[in-house]
Amino acid sequence: MISAQSIVALSSGRLPAGIAVIRISGPQTRFVVETIAGGKVKDRVAVLRRFRANDGSVIDNGLVLLFPGPGSFTGEDVAEFHVHGGRAVAMKMLETIAGFDGVRHAEPGEFTRRAFLNGKLDLVETEALADLVNAETEAQRRFAVQNAEGAQSELYSGWRRRLIHARAMIEAEIDFADEDDVPGSVSDAVWSDVRTMVGEIGHHIDGFHAAEIIRDGFEVVILGAPNAGKSSLFNALARREAAIVTDEPGTTRDLLEVVLDLKGMRVRITDTAGLRAAPGKVEAIGIEKARAKARGADLLLLLEDMVDPVDAGAVPSDAPMLRIGTKADLVGAHHLASRSKDYDAAISTRVGAGLADLLDEIGRRAAAEIGNAGDILPSRLRHVELLNETRGFLTSALSGHGQELRAEELRLAADRLGRIVGAVDVEDLLDVIFSQFCIGK
């Protein structure tokens, strides 16, 4: 698809910066480059030029690179101007380029959208590119790179190819059952492969929780009775005074969250209101929020003051739990040794005892939940929804009657897989997906 208009945008980070990268894509690209740079530019070679505005005045000295289509990111002619990263310089370059006929400022994600429409990326690779841009941890980066390089797309496309082949074989058996060149009784082999595929898709769907942890974080919730040391632990993990710490019970009324990077994994720690019976009206709201948060946690830290233990009551969650004894520095060595068997860990936030081991254990559990980082996992809820529909159609095909109806179930299943990668009927998704990108991407 060749666009009628060219688009331009700042593709580098926030200004001011050392270098600003301004990208243009579309049919006017070469003319714009040769006009501003004052002459022809060799393809795919960085050239130092003096850039001039329409009135002939010098804007800046910098590098320009020209990538002719279709061998470019968008599939169109693409160029990049590398200029000094001052706001005035970048804005003057953008103003000058957008002043050419047929050139306009890009909308969010429009460069990537053109790459998709020109067949340079499929929809799953496009979403992975957005994840790569937004990656904050090493696990997120690895996950996004794997999908951006096509591993996830190849899995879905491979399943789709198998379904198209299966449908072709079934329809061939229906239409040409008496012909000598059609293999006899292909049904057994076809339906055996479909049954195998149902299991493969189900196993893949089961990996979505691991993908959620990679993208959104491993959810750790701190629970305990009032004054058990929850906010002190929260502040120690956050390495700042994020929560108010006092001797007055019920100080924490709302949920407080901090995000940690533990060995390349995103971990979200949430401080909650103290659990106790007969709280005040406002405190009761905080306790209900704490219980609701605990129900969705990946790991609970149940804290208890070893000096003055107070029962926090029933924990409203089936999530794995670590029992943590706090204020270890106030407990005598003999008493600490006798009580340690009651806890998974004993800590002191005042002197820092046990905190490193606790962080290591949280990191170990997060890594166990993610599993093998090399596994191909569904990275979006829409993938899971379409995969569940695919599995439903395949299950119906396996249990159905009449080859024609069963072949139609195969067609519907292949259609759902095609929608994941953008091979069929995804126009209604495009605005949502590409709006997540920054302007210059």
Side-chain angles (χ1 to χ4, degrees):
M1 185 198 79
I2 303 300
S3 304
Q5 288 188 310
S6 296
I7 53 174
V8 62
L10 175 68
S11 290
S12 51
R14 181 181 302 176
L15 301 175
I19 296 292
V21 178
I22 295 168
R23 177 185 287 175
I24 177 173
S25 176
Q28 288 80 15
T29 297
R30 187 175 292 274
F31 175 72
V32 170
V33 167
E34 292 177 352
T35 302
I36 292 178
K40 291 187 178 297
V41 172
K42 190 174 181 179
D43 295 347
R44 304 182 184 281
V45 175
V47 180
L48 179 63
R49 290 291 177 87
R50 178 170 293 170
F51 304 137
R52 296 183 181 272
N54 295 332
D55 61 3
S57 61
V58 175
I59 301 174
D60 194 12
N61 296 318
L63 297 177
V64 59
L65 297 96
L66 178 62
F67 306 93
S72 68
F73 173 69
T74 65
E76 306 171 329
D77 286 350
V78 174
E80 291 181 355
F81 294 94
H82 295 204
V83 297
H84 292 95
R87 288 190 179 89
V89 174
M91 293 305 104
K92 183 62 177 180
M93 283 292 294
L94 288 168
E95 175 190 323
T96 299
I97 296 170
F100 284 81
D101 289 340
V103 182
R104 61 173 175 80
H105 292 286
E107 297 177 358
E110 193 168 2
F111 286 90
T112 308
R113 183 171 186 149
R114 291 191 178 196
F116 167 73
L117 294 174
N118 288 324
K120 308 298 288 188
L121 300 169
D122 66 29
L123 211 52
V124 172
E125 291 168 338
T126 296
E127 291 168 325
L129 189 58
D131 287 342
L132 187 59
V133 170
N134 295 319
E136 296 178 341
T137 67
E138 178 61 15
Q140 290 174 336
R141 184 196 65 79
R142 290 197 305 267
F143 184 53
V145 166
Q146 181 187 51
N147 291 335
E149 290 182 342
Q152 195 178 356
S153 297
E154 181 54 35
L155 178 65
Y156 300 150
S157 297
W159 282 335
R160 185 166 180 253
R161 287 192 296 269
R162 286 162 65 184
L163 288 181
I164 291 172
H165 173 75
R167 181 185 168 204
M169 291 296 97
I170 294 298
E171 292 183 348
E173 188 176 67
I174 294 169
D175 295 336
F176 307 106
D178 298 330
E179 299 290 336
D180 293 338
D181 58 349
V182 176
S185 187
V186 298
S187 295
D188 289 346
V190 166
W191 298 121
S192 176
D193 187 50
V194 169
R195 195 171 291 107
T196 299
M197 205 179 309
V198 169
E200 292 173 356
I201 292 173
H203 178 72
H204 182 66
I205 291 171
D206 290 341
F208 181 57
H209 181 59
E212 284 186 303
I213 291 175
I214 293 172
R215 296 183 71 244
D216 301 327
F218 183 72
E219 188 80 56
V220 179
V221 176
I222 303 174
L223 297 174
N227 285 341
K230 299 182 300 300
S231 294
S232 295
L233 174 60
F234 181 77
N235 287 341
L237 297 178
R239 297 183 180 179
R240 59 186 174 87
E241 295 298 315
I244 299 173
V245 179
T246 72
D247 294 331
E248 180 182 344
T251 301
T252 301
R253 303 292 179 87
D254 209 344
L255 303 178
L256 300 175
E257 182 178 285
V258 66
V259 177
L260 306 180
D261 184 340
L262 294 184
K263 298 180 180 178
M265 294 169 291
R266 180 182 172 91
V267 176
R268 300 205 315 267
I269 310 286
T270 302
D271 185 22
T272 63
L275 303 179
R276 64 171 174 171
K281 185 176 181 180
V282 175
E283 190 179 352
I285 296 173
I287 290 174
E288 181 52 38
K289 285 186 176 182
R291 294 181 182 278
K293 191 70 173 177
R295 284 189 283 271
D298 297 306
L299 176 65
L300 301 177
L301 304 182
L302 183 61
L303 272 57
E304 185 175 275
D305 182 346
M306 291 194 294
V307 176
D308 184 18
V310 176
D311 185 14
V315 176
S317 176
D318 295 328
M321 181 172 64
L322 292 175
R323 292 181 56 84
I324 310 296
T326 62
K327 306 179 184 179
D329 58 303
L330 301 180
V331 180
H334 176 73
H335 186 54
L336 179 61
S338 65
R339 295 228 49 197
S340 291
K341 64 181 184 297
D342 297 329
Y343 304 103
D344 297 301
I347 65 170
S348 168
T349 57
R350 190 174 70 86
V351 300
L355 295 180
D357 290 340
L358 178 58
L359 282 172
D360 285 343
E361 178 63 17
I362 293 172
R364 187 190 67 78
R365 289 176 178 252
E369 283 293 311
I370 292 174
N372 185 354
D375 289 345
I376 301 174
L377 307 173
S379 56
R380 291 288 193 283
L381 181 59
R382 78 170 189 91
H383 302 170
V384 174
E385 292 171 345
L386 288 167
L387 287 167
N388 274 319
E389 290 182 30
T390 300
R391 183 169 58 172
F393 287 127
L394 295 182
T395 302
S396 296
L398 288 170
S399 60
H401 300 284
Q403 295 289 61
E404 293 88 350
L405 294 177
R406 299 175 80 186
E408 175 62 10
E409 297 284 2
L410 295 181
R411 184 191 70 79
L412 292 172
D415 172 83
R416 295 312 186 270
L417 289 173
R419 292 186 185 192
I420 298 178
V421 298
V424 292
D425 191 26
V426 294
E427 186 63 32
D428 56 335
L429 287 171
L430 298 187
D431 288 341
V432 175
I433 290 173
F434 292 110
S435 66
Q436 302 172 36
F437 285 81
C438 57
I439 295 291
K441 196 64 179 174

